[in-house]
């Protein structure tokens, strides 16, 4: 069965520091992987997605993620965090048939 | 381009009352999704439509939940009667469909926050 684990419920980083949000997935075939961001009172916005090809994926707002099949991971990174990045981040895995499973999310706090 | 529109944004009702949520997807998007998001959790799919056909409603609690997308455009999700445990955010999303067998990007609306007292 598909599943997504985001081990960190919340993370606090200082503005300007680097960020890595962890995501581990379970899926029997080649997964489609996504990262979404949700600001308070807003819907989810797609940051980036991986379907195939280069395992390092670039997204919007300066985010990137790396697919590591051997570790079943798809961690999200950003070299320098801005205060506006404070939000909830969701990793998701999908496959054929459009069924997308979301993780429980990681809430990012940014210190000034 | 207008995004996914949902209304109302907030709804407070007493238990056992009915409630309905409305969603208008992005123009031209054939696929429409309703998700349930509990506090501190990720979205969980309730139902997916391809045009006016519900192609995946396996997670929809059919004893009290119903949905329709009569003309293949906007959609309504209804709960009757509502229970305390239904308090959550109900998200609508749409996508244009498949691209060579891979899922297209889902665009989410802001959601309806339901509180059942």
């Amino acid at each position: 069965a598909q599943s997504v684990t985001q081990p960190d419920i919340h993370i606090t980083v200082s503005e300007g520091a680097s960020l890595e949000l962890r995501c581990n997935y379970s899926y029997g075939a080649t997964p489609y992987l996504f990262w979404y961001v949700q600001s308070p009172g807003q819907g989810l916005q797609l940051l980036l997605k991986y379907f195939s090809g280069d395992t390092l994926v670039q997204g919007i707002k300066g985010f990137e993620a790396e697919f590591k099949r051997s570790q079943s991971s798809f961690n999200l990174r950003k070299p320098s965090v801005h205060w506006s990045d404070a939000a909830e981040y969701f990793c998701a895995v999908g496959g054929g048939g459009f069924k997308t499973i979301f993780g429980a999310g990681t809430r990012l706090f940014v210190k000034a | 381009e207008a995004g996914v529109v949902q209304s109302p944004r907030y709804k407070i009702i007493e238990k056992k009352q009915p409630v309905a949520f409305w969603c208008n997807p992005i123009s031209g998007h054939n696929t429409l999704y309703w998700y349930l998001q509990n506090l501190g959790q990720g979205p969980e799919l309730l139902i997916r439509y391809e045009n006016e056909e519900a192609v995946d409603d396996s997670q929809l609690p059919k004893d009290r939940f119903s949905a329709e997308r009569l003309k293949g455009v906007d959609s309504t999700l209804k709960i009757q009667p509502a229970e305390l445990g239904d308090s959550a955010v109900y998200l609508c999303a749409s996508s244009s469909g498949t691209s060579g067998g891979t899922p297209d990007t889902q665009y989410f609306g802001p959601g309806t926050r339901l509180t059942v007292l």
Side-chain angles (χ1 to χ4, degrees), chain A residues 32 34 36 38 41-46 49 51 88 90 94-105, chain B residues 9 33 35 37 40-43 45 48 50 56 58-59 91 97-98 101-106 108-110:
Chain A
Y32 303 121
F34 310 83
Y36 287 86
Q38 186 178 34
Q42 302 296 316
L44 281 70
Q45 180 185 22
L46 182 69
K49 61 186 177 184
F51 287 173
E88 185 110 29
F90 293 95
F98 304 91
K99 187 81 171 186
T100 302
I101 304 297
F102 290 82
Chain B
R9 291 293 310 276
Y33 312 76
Y35 286 92
Q37 185 177 22
Q41 299 295 316
L45 181 69
R48 174 170 67 90
E50 292 290 339
D56 184 356
S58 58
Q59 301 303 309
L91 294 167
T98 59
T102 57
D104 261 358
T105 298
Q106 294 182 39
F108 284 80

Side-chain angles (χ1 to χ4, degrees), chain B residues 29-103:
Chain B
H29 280 191
N30 298 324
T31 306
L32 184 146
Y33 312 76
W34 281 103
Y35 286 92
L36 166 69
Q37 185 177 22
N38 286 306
L39 187 65
Q41 299 295 316
E44 300 171 32
L45 181 69
L46 289 171
I47 189 169
R48 174 170 67 90
Y49 281 94
E50 292 290 339
N51 298 303
E52 60 274 7
E53 182 183 0
V55 296
D56 184 356
D57 63 355
S58 58
Q59 301 303 309
L60 190 72
K62 298 181 182 64
D63 57 336
R64 297 184 300 108
F65 287 66
S66 64
E68 60 184 15
R69 193 184 185 200
L70 294 176
K71 297 183 179 180
V73 181
D74 57 346
S75 175
T76 303
L77 178 69
K78 298 178 182 178
I79 308 175
Q80 183 170 12
E83 297 179 351
L84 295 176
D86 296 331
S87 294
V89 175
Y90 292 82
L91 294 167
C92 179
S94 70
S95 71
S96 58
T98 59
S99 297
T102 57

Side-chain angles (χ1 to χ4, degrees), chain A residues 14-95:
Chain A
S14 297
E15 191 170 18
S18 64
L19 170 70
E20 182 169 28
L21 301 181
R22 297 183 291 164
C23 172
N24 293 99
Y25 68 89
S26 174
Y27 191 71
T30 300
Y32 303 121
L33 295 160
F34 310 83
W35 274 101
Y36 287 86
V37 61
Q38 186 178 34
S39 297
Q42 302 296 316
L44 281 70
Q45 180 185 22
L46 182 69
L47 287 175
L48 47 78
K49 61 186 177 184
Y50 171 79
F51 287 173
S52 64
D54 193 346
T55 56
L56 185 62
V57 181
Q58 302 297 319
I60 62 171
K61 304 185 181 187
F63 286 92
E64 66 178 26
E66 186 171 13
F67 170 57
K68 293 186 177 180
R69 184 186 300 274
S70 61
Q71 297 177 21
S72 297
S73 69
F74 189 57
N75 294 348
L76 182 71
R77 300 193 293 250
K78 186 170 185 177
S80 177
V81 168
H82 188 262
W83 63 266
S84 61
D85 294 324
E88 185 110 29
Y89 291 80
F90 293 95
C91 180
V93 62

